[in-house]
Amino acid sequence: MLEVVESKGLGPSKRKCGAAAALSTSRESSTPHLRGPSKHKDPGFDVNDLEGQILESRRHYNNISTLLEYIRLSEVNRFRNHEAVLALCRIFSRLMARGSMTAPQQLDKNEGMIVEWLRRKYEEYCDNLLDSLANGTHEEKRASLTILMQLFREETSGQKSNEELTWKKGTFPSIVQAVASPITGDRIQETFIEGYVEQCSDIKFYTFQALARFASTQKSTVKLDGIMSMLIAVNDVDDSEERIEPLYINPPKRKHSVYSRAAQRRAAQDAWMAVLRCSLTDIQRKDLLRAMPHRIAPMFLKPELLMDFLTDSFEVAGSAPLLALSGLFHLMQEKNLDYPQFYLKLYSLLDFQVLHYKHRSRFFRLLEVFLASTHLPAILVASFIKRLSRLCLGAPPSAIVVVVPWIYNLLRNHPTCTFMIHRNSDKADGKAGHPAAEFHDSFRMDEDDPMLTGAIESSLWEIETLQSHYHPNVAAISKIVSEQFTKQEYNIEDFLYHTYSSMLDAELTQAMKKTPVIKYEIAKRIFVANKGETPQSQNLVAQLWGFET
């Protein structure tokens, strides 16, 4: 329980706060004493009475300490008494509107101490709200966010000459930092972004700046997750209009950065660059690469600043190199950036592991986009076709059924490469039609440059080999390359999600048109010969091993 000393009349209390004690020696006529909080054994005091006393006379300012102490007593539920929290919000809003928390130009010592004391209590109140914003329930977080944003608006209303400093040093940076904390959760981030960031351009501008400062000094990868999630959730700056409206606070009369969309983009670019300079985990890097084409790159005024991050991602194991190529391809298409090594990097990803990769569907979806242009050199396209055909010889059936339709589409779009289908042998010695045993494949599998592999002079004998595959579905789909190209194009999405399980289920559930005729004899014994059997008629196990009975 809060233990305070009861005061009588308007005289000074026996127990005073720091500001009240300092003012006790001053004259009562010039500066009234700050009366100590009333004694309440029961925390259910009348909050409205305390609020009315505070707003009536500053002699009752110590009632602010009573309300703050009562909030602190609610350890299990910080907002057990919502009236106390809302009362303090109204009290500080009124005091800021009156100018009671702003030091005047001609300030005596006693007035300065009162203003300083009120500011300390206001900071203490805001700290309680920020703690609830980070650790409370979702309802408490929403209430705390609303109150803090309202108090911040009151802060800026009387400080038009220092509005820039208020945005950067006041309550707002602490609000953004609390919302960006991972323990706050995505729901309150969504509330803040949808309710404030996306509605008011000045909040969006200064949110970018605050997140840039936090990221530049952030060493914790856990806290960096919260910053990344906030930046990814913010929508792109719209270029449809020149002037930005509305604003959360009264706009300054002079020209300000919040009016410029270029400044908005520059602030977002600085925030993202601060994140990209941090020490990222592999998971964080992949999350950034996935968001690169749609969320990050559109924010940049200078997309070329992303090149270093994307090229460095090639050295990371797993799916990061492919995701980096996706970001580079977006910059090449949308921002007209030049990266001559793009297809060389893409070709280097085609190794024996790519068809066993768990993200195989994403790889082929992007690969289809990268090679969709009909203006690509036939030599380049032939290298990709030939290399994937060779990799199919050791690939699982679920991967082969994706590669073959993909090759069909490439051959359909690049007719020059169809000569690879009909070429049966090499003319290395001047004679055509060599036996298969003497056939020499001109394709160089170990060549890193797709323009120098010699694939265009080779043939697709690998696809013909797959027509004798043990799996009937693979054998059937491999024959589409040998038939006439009557189909316009295959939809790769229809083949991406096949697995061993799905292909086996398809075979087991397939209706038989005709029951196969099978001749078999059920063995009565497995490890030893049946009675009357000769050694020649024994089963294979009994022939290879002898078992004593």
Side-chain angles (χ1 to χ4, degrees):
M1 294 295 295
L2 174 63
E3 185 177 356
V4 296
V5 179
E6 183 179 5
S7 59
K8 297 180 180 180
L10 300 177
S13 63
K14 296 181 180 179
R15 182 188 178 200
K16 299 181 178 66
C17 64
L23 294 176
S24 61
T25 57
S26 64
R27 293 177 302 174
E28 185 173 350
S29 59
S30 60
T31 305
H33 297 297
L34 296 182
R35 188 163 63 106
S38 300
K39 182 178 180 181
H40 295 282
K41 295 182 180 180
D42 183 5
F45 48 76
D46 193 342
V47 174
N48 294 328
D49 290 345
L50 295 180
E51 179 184 357
Q53 293 173 6
I54 294 171
L55 298 177
E56 178 184 355
S57 173
R58 58 183 177 182
R59 295 180 179 181
H60 305 284
Y61 277 176
N62 274 1
N63 288 340
I64 297 176
S65 298
T66 303
L67 295 174
L68 287 172
E69 190 68 23
Y70 178 57
I71 295 175
R72 287 195 297 270
L73 286 176
S74 304
E75 297 179 356
V76 178
N77 187 347
R78 294 177 179 82
F79 276 49
R80 184 180 61 184
N81 191 332
H82 296 275
E83 293 183 359
V85 177
L86 296 177
L88 285 172
C89 177
R90 292 190 294 267
I91 289 169
F92 285 117
S93 297
R94 290 280 188 87
L95 293 176
M96 285 187 283
R98 292 176 181 177
S100 301
M101 296 180 62
T102 303
Q105 295 181 354
Q106 297 179 355
L107 179 66
D108 60 21
K109 182 178 180 181
N110 294 330
E111 290 289 340
M113 297 186 69
I114 293 177
V115 171
E116 183 65 25
W117 183 84
L118 288 174
R119 287 178 177 175
R120 289 201 305 269
K121 293 302 176 183
Y122 176 69
E123 292 176 359
E124 183 180 347
Y125 174 58
C126 289
D127 289 341
N128 289 332
L129 292 174
L130 290 170
D131 182 61
S132 177
L133 179 60
N135 302 300
T137 63
H138 181 65
E139 290 74 15
E140 294 172 357
K141 292 177 181 179
R142 288 175 60 93
S144 299
L145 179 61
T146 303
I147 294 173
L148 285 167
M149 292 301 295
Q150 178 62 33
L151 291 173
F152 171 69
R153 173 176 276 175
E154 296 295 337
E155 287 181 20
T156 57
S157 60
Q159 302 183 18
K160 294 184 178 180
S161 59
N162 296 321
E163 73 280 353
E164 188 80 16
L165 184 63
T166 305
W167 281 100
K168 294 182 178 180
K169 301 293 184 181
T171 308
F172 183 74
S174 300
I175 297 174
V176 176
Q177 188 173 13
V179 173
S181 175
I183 61 177
T184 304
D186 295 336
R187 294 178 62 189
I188 199 64
Q189 286 187 4
E190 182 181 352
T191 301
F192 177 70
I193 292 173
E194 293 182 356
Y196 296 97
V197 176
E198 299 295 350
Q199 300 299 324
C200 304
S201 297
D202 50 355
I203 293 181
K204 177 182 286 189
F205 177 77
Y206 288 105
T207 297
F208 285 141
Q209 288 193 344
L211 292 176
R213 291 194 298 271
F214 299 153
S216 61
T217 59
Q218 194 58 253
K219 296 183 179 180
S220 172
T221 57
V222 177
K223 293 182 179 179
L224 191 61
D225 286 334
I227 298 175
M228 288 171 48
S229 64
M230 277 196 67
L231 287 173
I232 292 175
V234 178
N235 292 326
D236 187 14
V237 180
D238 189 11
D239 292 330
S240 59
E241 298 179 0
E242 181 61 26
R243 186 175 177 86
I244 295 180
E245 294 288 349
L247 302 178
Y248 188 67
I249 62 173
N250 294 328
K253 295 181 180 179
R254 59 183 177 86
K255 187 177 181 180
H256 199 275
S257 299
V258 297
Y259 293 118
S260 173
R261 297 193 179 277
Q264 292 264 0
R265 286 183 175 275
R266 190 176 297 108
Q269 176 180 285
D270 293 341
W272 276 118
M273 290 303 299
V275 172
L276 297 180
R277 294 189 186 102
C278 296
S279 298
L280 302 172
T281 63
D282 290 344
I283 296 177
Q284 290 173 340
R285 181 178 293 272
K286 291 177 183 178
D287 290 340
L288 291 176
L289 291 173
R290 292 188 189 98
M292 185 68 64
H294 309 292
R295 286 293 185 180
I296 301 178
M299 291 281 196
F300 273 61
L301 285 175
K302 298 180 178 180
E304 59 270 15
L305 296 176
L306 295 169
M307 296 294 288
D308 291 339
F309 173 75
L310 293 173
T311 53
D312 291 342
S313 299
F314 289 136
E315 308 300 328
V316 181
S319 61
L322 177 65
L323 296 173
L325 284 178
S326 178
L328 280 173
F329 189 76
H330 172 80
L331 296 179
M332 292 167 59
Q333 273 193 327
E334 303 296 332
K335 306 298 181 180
N336 295 324
L337 291 181
D338 185 23
Y339 187 69
Q341 304 297 319
F342 177 80
Y343 286 99
L344 182 63
K345 293 288 187 182
L346 178 62
Y347 189 74
S348 65
L349 298 179
L350 301 180
D351 54 14
F352 287 101
Q353 297 180 358
V354 70
L355 297 183
H356 299 267
Y357 199 42
K358 67 178 181 179
H359 299 296
R360 184 178 60 221
S361 60
R362 181 188 304 161
F363 174 80
F364 278 100
R365 195 177 288 114
L366 293 175
L367 193 62
E368 186 180 27
V369 175
F370 297 157
L371 299 174
S373 175
T374 57
H375 300 288
L376 293 175
I379 298 177
L380 177 71
V381 176
S383 296
F384 279 90
I385 293 175
K386 181 64 177 179
R387 190 175 183 88
L388 277 173
S389 299
R390 184 69 59 86
L391 295 177
C392 281
L393 297 178
S398 57
I400 300 175
V401 296
V402 181
V403 175
V404 175
W406 178 82
I407 291 176
Y408 178 93
N409 293 343
L410 280 183
L411 293 174
R412 192 75 172 76
N413 295 330
H414 299 271
T416 308
C417 297
T418 55
F419 289 102
M420 301 171 65
I421 303 175
H422 306 290
R423 186 176 291 113
N424 296 323
S425 62
D426 193 10
K427 301 180 180 180
D429 58 354
K431 296 182 180 180
H434 289 292
E438 300 178 4
F439 175 72
H440 173 71
D441 195 345
S442 60
F443 174 68
R444 293 183 291 276
M445 187 72 175
D446 56 350
E447 176 60 49
D448 296 331
D449 191 346
M451 301 297 290
L452 303 176
T453 60
I456 194 67
E457 300 174 357
S458 180
S459 66
L460 296 180
W461 59 266
E462 296 91 349
I463 303 299
E464 185 176 358
T465 303
L466 293 176
Q467 295 175 5
S468 302
H469 197 274
Y470 73 89
H471 199 289
N473 290 349
V474 174
I477 201 170
S478 299
K479 295 179 182 179
I480 64 174
V481 178
S482 301
E483 300 173 354
Q484 292 185 358
F485 283 26
T486 56
K487 188 175 181 61
Q488 185 67 23
E489 192 177 58
Y490 282 94
N491 186 8
I492 299 299
E493 293 291 333
D494 297 337
F495 305 92
L496 288 179
Y497 299 101
H498 282 299
T499 60
Y500 276 117
S501 178
S502 63
M503 298 180 74
L504 180 61
D505 291 341
E507 288 295 322
L508 294 177
T509 56
Q510 184 178 8
M512 292 186 181
K513 297 180 180 180
K514 184 178 180 181
T515 304
V517 179
I518 301 177
K519 182 180 180 181
Y520 64 94
E521 182 179 353
I522 300 177
K524 298 180 179 179
R525 299 182 181 182
I526 299 178
F527 297 108
V528 296
N530 296 326
K531 293 182 179 181
E533 284 185 344
T534 61
Q536 290 76 13
S537 63
Q538 294 177 4
N539 58 64
L540 181 60
V541 176
Q543 294 179 24
L544 295 178
W545 289 279
F547 298 91
E548 297 181 358
T549 56

